[in-house]
Amino acid sequence: ALPILTKYYKDIHTGYIQTVTALANSIQAKDEYTMGHCQRVKDICCKIARRLDFSEAEIQMLEYAAILHDIGKIGIRASILNKKDKLTVAENNEIKKHPIISYNILKDIEFLKDGLNAILQHHERYDGTGYPHGLKGDEISIYGRILCIADAFDAMTSSRPYRKAMSVKEALNEIGRCKGTQFDPEITDIFIEIMQNNIKSWNTANYG
């Protein structure tokens, strides 16, 4: 019976991942950057979670959260998402609504319930100056703290219409500088160590 149950469980997980990916793909029509970004963020999150000895179920939940963390951008005007110049204060405030929009889109999906806080909190900062709720330290879920650092690193190392990408080395220096302010200190140390060990093998197509 065990192999049958295992197969059943794997089939369910595959179904969930396909559903989650389809949802995430829906935003690509508005913002091409988001899909590749979410996949890369997912890879980083899983590496950190494994180093923290998360269970497979916890890693899966973080995977779902990472793929879907920017789904709320579907509720932001495309003209803002794809703007070539620096955003105005009003436009920036509009973008800052995306974690709450994401949460509201996903809140009734039962299999995502443990990942919702991460999605809502991925722009909270360890020192309490983030958004949407100004949470600090351990008030931010561990998933949220992991997602925050993975999201920031990928944003720094990706070119956007309004700015050039940083090198991996520059981004790691920046993350080290923000340890304890923007990022959880323990997760910062683990992340930097992972990235330094993987720098050569890391996907150079994304992070050249």
Side-chain angles (χ1 to χ4, degrees), residues 8-10 43 47 52 60 79-80 83-84 86-87 121-123 127 130-131 136-137 146-148 166 178 180 184 187:
Y8 179 63
Y9 178 73
K10 279 190 174 149
D43 292 343
K47 281 186 165 64
L52 288 166
Q60 263 171 34
S79 59
I80 294 177
K83 189 177 174 183
K84 299 272 190 280
K86 211 167 162 36
L87 297 176
Q121 295 167 356
H122 72 277
H123 284 291
D127 63 3
Y131 65 89
K136 64 192 281 189
I146 293 171
L147 191 49
C148 171
M166 285 184 186
C178 297
D184 176 306
I187 293 169

Side-chain angles (χ1 to χ4, degrees), residues 167-192:
S167 70
V168 171
K169 199 172 170 206
E170 286 167 333
L172 290 180
N173 286 341
E174 182 60 18
I175 280 174
R177 195 180 66 76
C178 297
K179 172 180 166 176
T181 51
Q182 187 170 353
F183 308 118
D184 176 306
E186 185 197 356
I187 293 169
T188 304
D189 289 343
I190 289 170
F191 171 73
I192 289 173

Side-chain angles (χ1 to χ4, degrees), residues 37-51 62 66 146-155 157 175 187 190-192 194-195 202 207:
H37 166 69
C38 292
Q39 292 290 348
R40 294 189 299 271
V41 167
K42 180 198 80 165
D43 292 343
I44 296 168
C45 284
C46 289
K47 281 186 165 64
I48 296 171
R50 290 203 166 88
R51 281 292 301 277
L62 188 54
I146 293 171
L147 191 49
C148 171
I149 204 165
D151 180 52
F153 174 78
D154 188 70
T157 50
I175 280 174
I187 293 169
I190 289 170
F191 171 73
I192 289 173
I194 289 169
M195 288 309 299
W202 197 252
Y207 303 119

Side-chain angles (χ1 to χ4, degrees), residues 133-168:
H133 296 129
L135 304 178
K136 64 192 281 189
D138 291 346
E139 292 170 355
I140 308 162
S141 71
I142 184 80
Y143 290 165
R145 282 175 272 148
I146 293 171
L147 191 49
C148 171
I149 204 165
D151 180 52
F153 174 78
D154 188 70
M156 288 177 202
T157 50
S158 301
S159 286
R160 300 306 317 261
Y162 48 86
R163 60 156 178 77
K164 215 170 134 288
M166 285 184 186
S167 70
V168 171

Side-chain angles (χ1 to χ4, degrees), residues 2 12 14 34 38 85 112 124 128 178 190:
L2 199 60
I12 289 176
T14 304
T34 298
C38 292
D85 309 310
L112 290 174
E124 297 287 2
C178 297
I190 289 170

